[in-house]
Amino acid sequence: MRKDSISLLVALLFVLMTCGTVFAGHLEPFAGVPVQVKNPQTPEKTELGKQLFFDRRLSGDGTMSCATCHMPELAFTDGQDISLSYPTTKNWRNSPTLINVVFQKYLFHDGRSKTLEDQALFPMMSAFEMNKNLDFLEEQLRQVPAYVDSFRRVFNGEITRERIAMAIAAFERTLVSVNSPLDRFLRGDQKALSDEARKGLEVFEGKGKCADCHYGVNLSDDKFFALHVPENQALLNDPRVTATMRFVAKVYHYKDYRDLKEDPGRYLITKKKQDWKAFRTPTLRDIARTAPYMHNGVLATLDEVIDFFDRGGGEGNKALKPLGLTDDEKKALKTFMVEALSGDEIRIAYPAVP
Amino acid sequence: METYKGKVRLVIKNYPYKYRDYSHMAAEASLAAGDQGKYCEMHDLLLKNSPRLDRDSVIRYAKELGLDMKAFTASIEGFKHAAIIERDKKLAVDMDLYNTPTFFINGRKVIGNRSYEYLRKIVDEELKNAKR
Amino acid sequence: MKTNLAAALIFLFAVSFASAEEKRFTVPVDGSPVCGPPTAAVTIIEFIDFQ
C-alpha cells in the first residue's frame, strides 16, 4: 500500500479534535491528522494533487514544479540556504519543509496564508518562483484529457485554479511525520530513546526552554517571534534579491518599499510593530533532515542553531535570553533532535504526469 | 579551482537557458575558443564577466585571449557547435535537470548556485575518500 | 582517448562509493570540454549557463 493512502487511513481512524487542549511545554505523540471538512481527503484527490505537484506546467517556462524546491529526497525542502528561484531571478527565503504542514495554522515564514488551499497558488503566481499566469494554466490543463477526466471524477466539475490548489493541498496533507522515537517514547515505550536522547529531552523541556514554543504534536506554537537571526550575507547587496524583496513589500502595500533593505518578516502582513522581523515558529519534526535552518537558511547545522539559542538569539532581540547550556547539555539536546524527532522516511512513488 | 590545481577536473556541459538572450552565443563562444586551445580560459572569462555577454563583449574577450578572430567570429556566427550544445541540452532534460548550474561532484548531484564553501566541503570529502 | 578515461574514472567512482549514503549519478563525458588533468581524483561535471 502506498504511503499516502496509509496516512489517509490513519487520518480516518483517528479523528483528532482540534480544540485547544495543547499547553505550552507539553509534547504530544502523533495521533492522526485533523479531518478536512472543506476539502475532504480522498485517494483520487491526493493522487491528482501528487501529479500536479510534480507537473512542470505549473511554472511559466516549464522548468519548475512544486517538487523543484520541495524535493521528496530532501524532506521536501531544496537543501539550499535560500530557495531556488525562477531562472534569472533570486529568491529571498529558505524553502520550508512540507512535512506536517497539515498541522500548521499559518503557512509561509511570515504566515501570510491560513490554509494550504490559499498557499498553493502563491508560488505559482510569484514572479521569482514559478512565475505562472493562472488563467493561462487553467487553459493549458484543460487541454490535457487525463486532467479533465481526473478533475471531473474528483471534483465533479471542470479545472479551476481553486481545485488545482485543493488537490495539491490534499496531497501535501499526506506528508506526515509518523512513528518517530519521540512518538513511541511518549506513548510509553521507555526504550525508544537512548539515555543521551532522554537527557536531551530534559534539556528540551527544561533549561533549554525549547518546549516553551516547540510543543504539541507538531512541536510548534504557530506564533511569530523576532529572534533577530543574522542577515544572510548572500542576500545583502544583490540587486536581484533587493528587487524580490521590494516587489513583495510593494504587493503588501509597504509604504516605503523603495527604501527597504532587509526582510521585514511578519510585519509585511500585519503592519504591527511587534511583528517587525518576526517569523513563524517552525515544526521541529524531522529537523535533522531539513538543514540549513531559519527563514534565511543562515545557520547551516543544528550545532549552530543550538549555539544561537544558547547565546540568547540575535542582537537586540527581546524574545530570548541566554541559556547557559554546558557542552554536555548541548550535545544531548542535539542527540535528541537528531535521534528522536525523525519519523519514518516518506517515500514518494513518482507519478506519471499526464 | 586554483586551490585544487591538479586534484580536480572540470567537465563542462552546456545548458543555455532557452529564454536568455546571450546564453547560446556564450556557449558557442566557449567552444569556438576551445577549437583554438583556449576553452578553459574562455570559460573562466565568460563566468567572470557574466552577464555581460553580448556579441561585442564576447569578441573583446576573444581578442584578450589572442584568438584568431576570423575563425572565432565565423564559428560563433555559423553556430558551428550547435550540435554539441543541443546534445548537452538533451542529456540534461533526459536526466531531469532544469536548473543551472547543476554540478556532479564524483557523481554527487548539487543543484543550484552554491557558495564556494558549500562546494569546497564536498570536494574535500571526495578528495579524502579518494586517498583511502 | 582522454575522454574515455574520464568516463571510466567516473564509472569507477560511481561504483566504489555506491555504498555511500548519497546517490551517485553517472554522466557520459565523451566529447565535452575538460579543464584540469585527467588524473584528478575529483571530477566535477557542470551543467552551465554562462549568462
Side-chain angles (χ1 to χ4, degrees):
Chain A
M1 204 189 277
R2 273 189 312 275
K3 193 93 213 172
D4 42 14
S5 29
I6 295 176
S7 313
L8 189 80
L9 268 181
V10 173
L12 291 173
L13 286 172
F14 300 88
V15 178
L16 186 83
M17 303 307 290
T18 45
C19 27
T21 48
V22 182
F23 302 105
H26 185 67
L27 309 189
E28 287 177 18
F30 175 78
V33 295
V35 168
Q36 303 301 318
V37 181
K38 287 187 184 151
N39 183 17
Q41 298 277 102
T42 66
E44 291 79 17
K45 196 188 285 173
T46 57
E47 193 56 34
L48 172 60
K50 193 206 265 184
Q51 287 178 330
L52 292 165
F53 187 86
F54 287 98
D55 193 335
R56 296 187 194 274
R57 288 189 190 91
L58 268 53
S59 62
D61 68 346
T63 65
M64 302 175 82
S65 70
C66 307
T68 301
C69 300
H70 301 288
M71 300 178 205
E73 300 80 13
L74 293 174
F76 299 90
T77 71
D78 63 8
Q80 309 233 35
D81 53 350
I82 300 301
S83 177
L84 290 165
S85 55
Y86 192 72
T88 73
T89 72
K90 278 261 190 179
N91 209 323
W92 64 330
R93 288 179 183 160
N94 176 267
S95 164
T97 181
L98 300 183
I99 295 174
N100 277 13
V101 277
V102 62
F103 292 111
Q104 281 179 219
K105 289 201 192 88
Y106 297 95
L107 288 308
F108 292 105
H109 291 294
D110 56 23
R112 72 180 74 153
S113 281
K114 288 187 176 165
T115 65
L116 279 171
E117 285 79 0
D118 180 53
Q119 184 279 332
L121 296 176
F122 274 86
M124 288 181 221
M125 292 184 286
S126 160
F128 56 91
E129 289 169 86
M130 296 163 89
N131 201 12
K132 185 79 177 185
N133 180 301
L134 296 181
D135 286 308
F136 189 55
L137 176 64
E138 285 173 347
E139 295 314 317
Q140 272 185 315
L141 295 191
R142 285 169 188 161
Q143 293 304 313
V144 182
Y147 274 140
V148 174
D149 285 352
S150 296
F151 276 79
R152 197 171 295 138
R153 257 203 323 276
V154 171
F155 295 105
N156 200 21
E158 66 166 348
I159 297 173
T160 63
R161 66 192 69 188
E162 291 80 12
R163 287 171 179 153
I164 292 169
M166 285 168 80
I168 294 174
F171 167 65
E172 290 174 325
R173 290 196 176 101
T174 66
L175 309 173
V176 181
S177 177
V178 298
N179 203 26
S180 67
L182 178 69
D183 288 319
R184 281 179 267 138
F185 181 80
L186 292 174
R187 287 195 208 105
D189 177 0
Q190 296 292 313
K191 285 189 208 128
L193 297 186
S194 67
D195 289 349
E196 179 79 357
R198 284 186 69 164
K199 242 172 74 190
L201 172 59
E202 274 170 39
V203 177
F204 190 87
E205 293 181 307
K207 193 174 167 187
K209 296 182 188 293
C210 313
D212 287 7
C213 296
H214 296 282
Y215 57 81
V217 64
N218 198 31
L219 305 178
S220 165
D221 59 3
D222 266 310
K223 290 182 183 151
F224 301 84
F225 296 96
L227 307 183
H228 295 197
V229 172
E231 295 293 335
N232 186 325
Q233 294 300 315
L235 295 185
L236 303 172
N237 308 319
D238 185 332
R240 291 168 300 180
V241 178
T242 307
T244 294
M245 188 180 325
R246 292 182 182 175
F247 166 71
V248 178
K250 184 183 181 187
V251 169
Y252 281 93
H253 308 291
Y254 180 87
K255 223 172 100 220
D256 300 320
Y257 73 92
R258 295 288 295 275
D259 298 320
L260 193 60
K261 290 184 180 68
E262 54 193 334
D263 188 338
R266 178 115 178 111
Y267 180 88
L268 269 189
I269 314 303
T270 64
K271 310 290 188 298
K272 285 185 192 153
K273 213 176 145 200
Q274 78 258 26
D275 284 334
W276 179 253
K277 295 184 90 64
F279 295 93
R280 182 176 48 80
T281 307
T283 181
L284 297 186
R285 294 276 184 176
D286 288 280
I287 194 71
R289 295 171 175 149
T290 63
Y293 303 104
M294 316 315 272
H295 69 276
N296 57 5
V298 78
L299 303 179
T301 63
L302 285 176
D303 292 310
E304 288 180 28
V305 174
I306 292 171
D307 282 337
F308 173 78
F309 282 93
D310 185 47
R311 281 199 304 275
E315 222 171 287
N317 89 85
K318 293 188 183 107
L320 302 169
K321 291 201 169 66
L323 300 168
L325 298 178
T326 66
D327 286 351
D328 278 354
E329 286 166 336
K330 286 185 197 171
K331 206 174 127 237
L333 183 56
K334 185 187 171 190
T335 303
F336 168 73
M337 291 170 83
V338 173
E339 268 181 28
L341 304 184
S342 299
D344 289 346
E345 206 175 316
I346 301 171
R347 288 182 197 279
I348 294 290
Y350 278 77
V353 172
Chain B
M1 266 310 271
E2 268 157 35
T3 334
Y4 293 105
K5 212 163 186 187
K7 294 181 195 156
V8 172
R9 187 181 44 141
L10 194 63
V11 181
I12 296 92
K13 300 282 179 190
N14 296 286
Y15 197 11
Y17 180 55
K18 57 187 168 183
Y19 300 136
R20 282 191 180 114
D21 37 6
Y22 303 130
S23 293
H24 274 86
M25 193 173 53
E28 287 282 353
S30 69
L31 294 167
D35 290 346
Q36 303 185 36
K38 296 265 183 173
Y39 180 85
C40 302
E41 290 81 351
M42 183 58 102
H43 170 267
D44 294 349
L45 213 47
L46 290 172
L47 284 183
K48 199 177 92 189
N49 291 297
S50 178
R52 223 176 321 117
L53 301 170
D54 56 285
R55 188 171 180 280
D56 289 350
S57 300
V58 166
I59 286 177
R60 204 173 62 241
Y61 307 146
K63 274 187 194 144
E64 251 176 69
L65 294 175
L67 300 184
D68 171 351
M69 291 313 295
K70 216 174 130 199
F72 179 81
T73 320
S75 180
I76 60 170
E77 278 171 4
F79 301 104
K80 203 178 140 203
H81 300 92
I84 293 180
I85 296 169
E86 290 307 315
R87 178 204 65 188
D88 287 356
K89 275 160 72 177
K90 184 175 179 307
L91 173 68
V93 172
D94 287 348
M95 293 183 71
D96 206 29
L97 304 179
Y98 289 92
N99 285 288
T100 53
T102 293
F103 300 100
F104 290 90
I105 303 176
N106 279 355
R108 287 167 64 174
K109 181 155 82 172
V110 180
I111 298 173
N113 210 347
R114 305 286 182 137
S115 69
Y116 176 69
E117 285 71 33
Y118 186 94
L119 295 172
R120 190 178 58 189
K121 197 173 139 250
I122 298 178
V123 172
D124 285 343
E125 275 172 28
E126 291 304 314
L127 282 173
K128 225 171 87 195
N129 276 339
K131 274 187 196 130
R132 257 190 269 146
Chain C
M1 206 35 231
K2 237 191 228 174
T3 47
N4 281 340
L5 186 68
L9 263 176
I10 289 163
F11 180 67
L12 273 178
F13 277 116
V15 171
S16 55
F17 295 115
S19 57
E21 248 183 74
E22 225 166 322
K23 189 176 172 192
R24 283 174 196 268
F25 295 80
T26 314
V27 186
V29 296
D30 277 15
S32 284
V34 179
C35 301
T39 50
V42 174
T43 295
I44 303 176
I45 297 160
E46 61 170 16
F47 285 80
I48 199 169
D49 180 344
F50 290 107
Q51 193 168 349

